[in-house]
C-alpha cells in the first residue's frame, strides 16, 4: 500500500512545484501588464520573480539555506501563492487566478494528508 501512496505523494509534489513556477510566471506577467513606462515594467517583470525565487530558495525550499519553522513556512507560502493570485487578478486574469489558487490548495492539502498517511503506516 505504501507504493501507491508514495506515487500519489510524488505526483502532488510535482504539481506543487509547477504551482511554484506558475507563481513566478504570475509575478512576471503582472509586471508586464503594469500601466507604467517600459523600463518599470521590465524591472518588475524580471526583478519580482527573481526576488521571490531567492526568498523561496533561502527559506522555503526543501534544502533551504535558512529553513524556517513549519508554521512560518506555511504562512510565507500562503503569502507567495496569495499574492501571485492577486497579481493574476490585477492583470485581468481572474479565472486563471481562481484556478491557480484551487490547484495550489488542493495539491498542498493532498500532499499533507498523504504525508500523514505514509508516516502512520511506516512509523
Amino acid at each position: 500500500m505504501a507504493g501507491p501512496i508514495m506515487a500519489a505523494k510524488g505526483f502532488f509534489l510535482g504539481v506543487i512545484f509547477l504551482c511554484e513556477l506558475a507563481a513566478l510566471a504570475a509575478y512576471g506577467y503582472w509586471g508586464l501588464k503594469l500601466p507604467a513606462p517600459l523600463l518599470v515594467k521590465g524591472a518588475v517583470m524580471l526583478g519580482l520573480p527573481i526576488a521571490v525565487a531567492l526568498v523561496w530558495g533561502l527559506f522555503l525550499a526543501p534544502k533551504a539555506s535558512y529553513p524556517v519553522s513549519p508554521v512560518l513556512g506555511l504562512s510565507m507560502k500562503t503569502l507567495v501563492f496569495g499574492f501571485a493570485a492577486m497579481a493574476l487578478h490585477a492583470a485581468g486574469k481572474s479565472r486563471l487566478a481562481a484556478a491557480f489558487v484551487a490547484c495550489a490548495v488542493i495539491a498542498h492539502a493532498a500532499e499533507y494528508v498523504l504525508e500523514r498517511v505514509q508516516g502512520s503506516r511506516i512509523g
Side-chain angles (χ1 to χ4, degrees):
M1 188 65 134
I5 292 173
M6 289 180 66
K9 183 179 172 196
F11 171 78
F12 284 109
L13 286 173
V15 172
I16 290 169
F17 178 69
L18 292 176
C19 287
E20 294 165 7
L21 294 177
L24 297 177
Y27 288 123
Y29 183 73
W30 175 72
L32 179 67
K33 293 298 182 176
L34 280 176
L38 187 58
L39 186 60
V40 173
K41 285 182 179 188
V44 173
M45 186 176 76
L46 296 174
L48 187 56
I50 290 171
V52 171
L54 285 173
V55 168
W56 194 280
L58 287 172
F59 302 107
L60 301 173
K63 294 183 181 182
S65 302
Y66 306 99
V68 296
S69 71
V71 172
L72 181 56
L74 179 61
S75 300
M76 290 174 69
K77 288 178 183 181
T78 300
L79 288 173
V80 168
F81 288 122
F83 283 129
M86 289 177 13
L88 285 171
H89 176 73
K93 299 294 183 185
S94 298
R95 288 184 181 177
L96 187 58
F100 171 75
V101 169
C103 185
V105 168
I106 290 168
H108 277 90
E111 191 273 332
Y112 177 83
V113 168
L114 290 168
E115 178 71 27
R116 297 309 169 266
V117 169
Q118 182 183 17
S120 68
R121 292 184 187 279
I122 294 172

